[in-house]
């Protein structure tokens, strides 16, 4: 496979224009950023940067080969009339879990706190809250057994409608997360997630991020015979949930931030290796970094308004804080004394990267 790998290298001029723009107003905005922020973002067009690398395409099934789409530079992002930006009245990201996320209530509660803390650091300056968990039956969604993989799946469109109906007034967006696999329509095999940007809602499944989904050991298989009726949700009681490993946590943090990025108006990145690159399959999404490239970072900063070094420090702190007992609503009946160490082994390389960025920003 490696011999087919292609490196997509844009010229310095192309990258610089994508970042600064040709519009003098946006160029002068850029020049008003502090020196450290400019130094970091200018790495986008340093050919020998060890912080931001070009995109690599490993096969024809990779996103960029199979989904040609127009790239979005900073100026296009900035002037997109349809883009929804957070504002003082609508500035909260809500997370809604659907069905159990962990094998015990304690694991479910800790895991959602870890995701909340990560999103708060990533979208530094926005508030993240979680809503009371709901069961699959409360969403009244359709469901099926996938004929190829024999696992249960729930219908994304129905869940998006449920989220939209229950979206709080002060929500910038509401994202549903579940450990049950998803399908958008009968003809599709599955989907990792789906979002409606105009409504500010999204649903994402982490079912396929468990380590055994694609193996014969996978325990989430059911037979069609067990499906007695299209409204009997009892089949979801005690349904299989993958173990929350460090890799599953990393993959779910990645998906959640990528998709909320879309809701903020960032389209798929085609400039540099970046969290906002599209991905068609798990192996490709594992290759994507956790960080955004400077062009997408400028988009995020202009939408949210954070200080870049403070944001990076918050991300390092999230990795270093074993337990995430941050403030915020705790689901009722929280078990006070339970403490699970946050599995951050998979984030260690990224922590090194963040420290290098902070050093450059503070040089």
């Amino acid at each position: 496979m490696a011999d087919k790998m292609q490196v997509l290298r844009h010229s310095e001029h192309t990258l610089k224009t994508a970042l600064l723009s040709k519009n003098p107003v946006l160029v002068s905005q850029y020049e008003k950023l502090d020196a450290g922020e400019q130094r970091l973002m200018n790495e986008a067009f340093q050919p020998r940067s060890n912080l931001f690398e070009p995109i690599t395409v490993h096969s024809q099934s990779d996103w960029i080969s199979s989904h040609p789409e127009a790239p979005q530079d900073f100026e296009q992002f900035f002037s997109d009339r349809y883009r929804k930006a957070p504002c003082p009245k609508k500035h909260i990201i809500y997370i809604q879990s659907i069905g159990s996320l962990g094998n015990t209530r304690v694991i479910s509660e800790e895991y959602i706190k870890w995701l909340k803390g990560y999103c708060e650091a990533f979208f530094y300056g926005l508030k993240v809250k979680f809503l009371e968990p709901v069961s699959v039956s409360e969403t009244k969604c359709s469901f099926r057994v996938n004929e190829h993989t024999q696992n249960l799946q729930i219908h994304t469109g129905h869940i998006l409608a449920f989220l939209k109906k229950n979206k709080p007034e002060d929500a910038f967006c509401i994202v549903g997360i579940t450990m049950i696999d998803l399908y958008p329509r009968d003809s599709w095999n599955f989907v990792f997630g789906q979002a409606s940007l105009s409504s500010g809602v999204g649903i994402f499944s982490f079912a396929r991020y468990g380590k055994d989904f694609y193996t014969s050991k996978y325990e989430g298989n059911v037979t069609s015979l067990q499906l007695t009726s299209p409204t009997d949700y009892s089949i979801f009681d005690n349904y299989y949930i993958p173990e929350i490993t460090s890799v599953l946590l990393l993959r779910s943090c990645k998906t959640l931030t990528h998709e909320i990025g879309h809701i903020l108006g960032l389209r798929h990145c085609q400039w540099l290796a970046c969290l906002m690159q599209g991905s068609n399959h798990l192996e490709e999404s594992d290759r994507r970094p956790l960080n955004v490239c400077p062009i997408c970072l400028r988009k995020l900063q202009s939408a949210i308004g954070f200080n870049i070094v403070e944001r990076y420090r918050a991300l390092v702190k999230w990795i270093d804080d074993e337990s995430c007992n941050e403030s915020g609503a705790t689901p009722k009946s929280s078990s006070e004394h339970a403490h699970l160490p946050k599995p951050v082994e998979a984030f260690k390389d990224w922590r090194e990267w963040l420290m290098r960025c902070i050093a450059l920003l503070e040089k």
Side-chain angles (χ1 to χ4, degrees):
M1 189 130 168
D3 56 348
K4 291 203 209 99
M5 191 180 96
Q6 250 183 308
V7 177
L8 295 183
R9 211 181 282 281
H10 297 287
S11 72
E12 288 172 54
H13 174 75
T14 302
L15 291 166
K16 188 172 180 176
T17 310
L19 174 63
L20 273 75
S21 118
K22 288 197 185 93
N23 175 337
V25 178
L26 298 184
V27 173
S28 83
Q29 264 183 27
Y30 186 80
E31 289 165 351
K32 290 193 185 89
L33 294 172
D34 77 52
E37 294 196 336
Q38 288 187 53
R39 199 164 42 239
L40 177 87
M41 294 215 227
N42 287 346
E43 286 284 307
F45 50 85
Q46 312 302 337
R48 276 167 294 285
S49 172
N50 67 348
L51 291 174
F52 302 103
E53 287 163 9
I55 294 177
T56 55
V57 181
H58 292 238
S59 77
Q60 281 316 103
S61 69
D62 278 10
W63 180 272
I64 214 158
S65 322
S66 54
H67 291 79
E69 55 187 309
Q72 178 197 49
D73 59 20
F74 176 73
E75 187 176 333
Q76 288 164 313
F77 169 83
F78 188 82
S79 48
D80 176 0
R81 318 199 290 284
Y82 299 107
R83 176 167 66 83
K84 297 254 193 296
C87 61
K89 283 204 173 81
K90 296 191 182 297
H91 65 288
I92 298 174
I93 294 170
Y94 282 94
I95 301 177
Q96 170 73 76
S97 60
I98 295 163
S100 286
L101 298 177
N103 288 311
T104 66
R105 198 175 65 228
V106 174
I107 295 172
S108 288
E109 288 176 7
E110 289 290 298
Y111 174 55
I112 200 164
K113 275 186 218 161
W114 297 332
L115 291 173
K116 168 195 185 296
Y118 185 80
C119 285
E120 270 189 2
F122 194 93
F123 299 106
Y124 190 71
L126 294 183
K127 218 177 166 62
V128 182
K129 292 183 177 178
F130 34 82
L131 295 165
E132 275 298 314
V134 296
S135 63
V136 178
S137 63
E138 285 171 77
T139 69
K140 299 190 164 56
C141 66
S142 297
F143 56 93
R144 71 176 187 187
V145 174
N146 180 302
E147 55 184 13
H148 309 290
T149 44
Q150 284 351 110
N151 60 306
L152 280 175
Q153 294 183 305
I154 51 183
H155 189 288
T156 53
H158 300 163
I159 290 173
L160 290 173
F162 169 82
L163 293 171
K164 195 174 161 181
K165 201 171 76 206
N166 292 290
K167 189 175 164 189
E169 276 294 291
D170 57 0
F172 167 66
C173 66
I174 174 171
V175 291
I177 56 174
T178 182
M179 284 294 179
I180 303 162
D181 205 26
L182 303 171
Y183 72 105
R185 59 177 78 105
D186 293 347
S187 58
W188 279 52
N189 181 21
F190 81 98
V191 69
F192 282 118
Q194 197 179 3
S196 158
L197 308 193
S198 55
S199 314
V201 295
I203 170 71
F204 320 107
S205 165
F206 307 140
R208 292 176 183 246
Y209 295 165
K211 55 180 186 293
D212 54 0
F213 186 88
Y214 292 100
T215 69
S216 54
K217 293 202 270 302
Y218 180 65
E219 292 165 43
N221 296 343
V222 288
T223 64
S224 309
L225 297 173
Q226 287 168 271
L227 277 188
T228 46
S229 100
T231 52
D232 180 6
Y233 291 95
S234 65
I235 192 159
F236 291 98
D237 298 345
N238 305 316
Y239 184 59
Y240 173 73
I241 298 163
E243 183 198 347
I244 293 169
T245 58
S246 192
V247 169
L248 188 138
L249 179 62
L250 178 114
R251 286 169 171 167
S252 42
C253 285
K254 237 185 217 186
T255 296
L256 207 49
T257 49
H258 174 99
E259 298 299 344
I260 295 169
H262 281 321
I263 297 173
L264 281 158
L266 281 79
R267 293 213 288 272
H268 282 132
C269 180
Q270 302 180 42
W271 306 111
L272 292 156
C274 175
L275 171 84
M276 291 310 298
Q277 282 170 253
S279 78
N280 256 351
H281 43 84
L282 195 52
E283 188 235 338
E284 183 177 21
S285 104
D286 282 344
R287 282 200 304 271
R288 282 191 309 212
L290 279 154
N291 57 275
V292 288
C293 73
I295 295 155
C296 294
L297 181 62
R298 187 177 180 200
K299 294 174 187 177
L300 266 189
Q301 189 190 36
S302 98
I304 301 170
F306 47 71
N307 168 299
I308 295 175
V309 80
E310 285 175 11
R311 173 178 177 268
Y312 283 157
R313 282 217 197 91
L315 286 161
V316 171
K317 184 176 184 313
W318 179 86
I319 297 170
D320 291 347
D321 280 358
E322 276 256 315
S323 66
C324 245
N325 292 333
E326 286 119 34
S327 59
T330 334
K332 294 185 199 75
S333 73
S334 163
S335 354
E336 295 307 314
H337 309 293
H339 168 66
L340 286 176
K342 192 196 302 170
V344 289
E345 310 79 76
F347 294 83
K348 289 295 182 236
D349 289 349
W350 195 47
R351 186 188 186 285
E352 299 298 304
W353 182 89
L354 289 164
M355 295 309 290
R356 299 207 317 264
C357 289
I358 290 170
L360 182 65
L361 282 153
E362 296 186 328
K363 202 162 86 178

